Amino acid sequence: GIQVEQSPPDLILQEGANSTLRCNFSDSVNNLQWFHQNPWGQLINLFYIPSGTKQNGRLSATTVATERYSLLYISSSQTTDSGVYFCAVEPPAYSNYQLIWGAGTKLIIKP
Amino acid sequence: EAGVAQSPRYKIIEKRQSVAFWCNPISGHATLYWYQQILGQGPKLLIQFQNNGVVDDSQLPKDRFSAERLKGVDSTLKIQPAKLEDSAVYLCASSQRTTNEKLFFGSGTQLSVL
């Protein structure tokens, strides 16, 4: 089945720094979503981005479907950005539509 | 707009006991999901409903887990009897239309089986 790999697995940054998180997938996908899980366990949907680029405040995401990767950019990091970032992909139409999740990138922003 | 509601927030039980979790999705969302998340891992889909029909329950341990979605709205997930390895966070999510459109998650239920 499709493989989803996220990198780096862990990232520690000072407040104010910028970061790039990567999600690679091994086959074509119908869509891709980025999620942030805060330290209290709440999962928040950041982007629904099967292709192209989207921006929401300090966060932006780019998916290059033909090259099978997506990037999440976080600019001017804040301590509230800490948590785990997951990407999840939907396999092609002939499968059972189940989302396949990466293992996540754990981000710690130090004040 | 109200989010996905889940209860209880925490539950501690002994092995072989039973437990039930409740979820109320965002109003109008046709698709409802139950996920299990073990510490340090990504969420694992247990069951997916489209309205009140099951779309996918291939990873649901049916010998001990059951779920229902009455009238296509609220849902309950039950474990009977619980095992130590069931200790995890149980997350409910919903999406507006068919399959995996943008997912919205509840706060989850943290289950500890002693």
Side-chain angles (χ1 to χ4, degrees):
Chain A
I2 192 169
Q3 303 296 316
V4 180
E5 295 182 354
Q6 291 186 242
S7 60
D10 300 278
L11 188 58
I12 302 174
L13 297 172
Q14 283 300 129
E15 198 168 23
N18 301 329
S19 59
T20 301
L21 282 57
R22 187 175 181 104
C23 174
N24 291 335
F25 41 97
S26 60
D27 202 347
S28 58
V29 297
N30 284 346
N31 80 70
L32 183 145
Q33 302 186 44
W34 282 99
F35 295 88
H36 173 219
Q37 189 165 39
N38 66 26
W40 296 271
Q42 178 69 52
L43 267 165
I44 303 295
N45 194 304
L46 299 175
F47 295 101
Y48 178 94
I49 185 166
S51 63
T53 297
K54 291 186 177 180
Q55 181 153 10
N56 185 0
R58 297 180 296 103
L59 274 61
S60 65
T62 295
T63 296
V64 184
T66 53
E67 297 188 20
R68 299 178 183 170
Y69 72 89
S70 183
L71 301 173
L72 178 68
Y73 305 95
I74 305 174
S75 64
S76 304
S77 300
Q78 301 175 357
T79 56
T80 51
D81 296 329
S82 296
V84 182
Y85 290 80
F86 291 100
C87 72
V89 303
E90 178 186 333
Y94 51 80
S95 69
N96 64 1
Y97 301 103
Q98 182 178 140
L99 276 179
I100 308 299
W101 292 70
T105 291
K106 185 175 182 179
L107 177 64
I108 297 174
I109 304 297
K110 293 187 171 183
Chain B
E1 177 182 81
V4 177
Q6 285 190 250
S7 66
R9 186 74 178 90
Y10 303 95
K11 191 72 178 180
I12 301 173
I13 61 173
E14 295 189 350
K15 60 182 179 182
R16 292 187 289 274
Q17 287 187 324
S18 62
V19 64
F21 313 124
W22 173 82
C23 174
N24 182 250
I26 292 173
S27 178
H29 279 197
T31 309
L32 184 148
Y33 313 77
W34 282 104
Y35 283 89
Q36 179 193 60
Q37 187 176 24
I38 293 173
L39 189 64
Q41 300 180 16
K44 169 190 164 185
L45 179 69
L46 293 175
I47 189 166
Q48 177 178 330
F49 293 94
Q50 178 72 19
N51 295 309
N52 59 353
V54 176
V55 172
D56 185 347
D57 63 356
S58 57
Q59 297 193 89
L60 186 73
K62 298 180 185 64
D63 58 334
R64 298 184 301 106
F65 286 63
S66 64
E68 59 181 6
R69 188 181 185 195
L70 299 176
K71 301 180 181 179
V73 182
D74 291 11
S75 178
T76 56
L77 176 69
K78 296 179 182 179
I79 307 175
Q80 183 179 9
K83 293 185 176 181
L84 297 177
E85 58 261 36
D86 298 332
S87 294
V89 176
Y90 291 85
L91 296 160
C92 179
S94 68
S95 64
Q96 191 166 11
R97 295 183 308 192
T98 56
T99 62
N100 296 324
E101 193 178 60
K102 191 172 180 178
L103 260 64
F104 296 86
F105 281 86
S107 299
T109 296
Q110 186 171 325
L111 174 67
S112 297
V113 182
L114 306 179

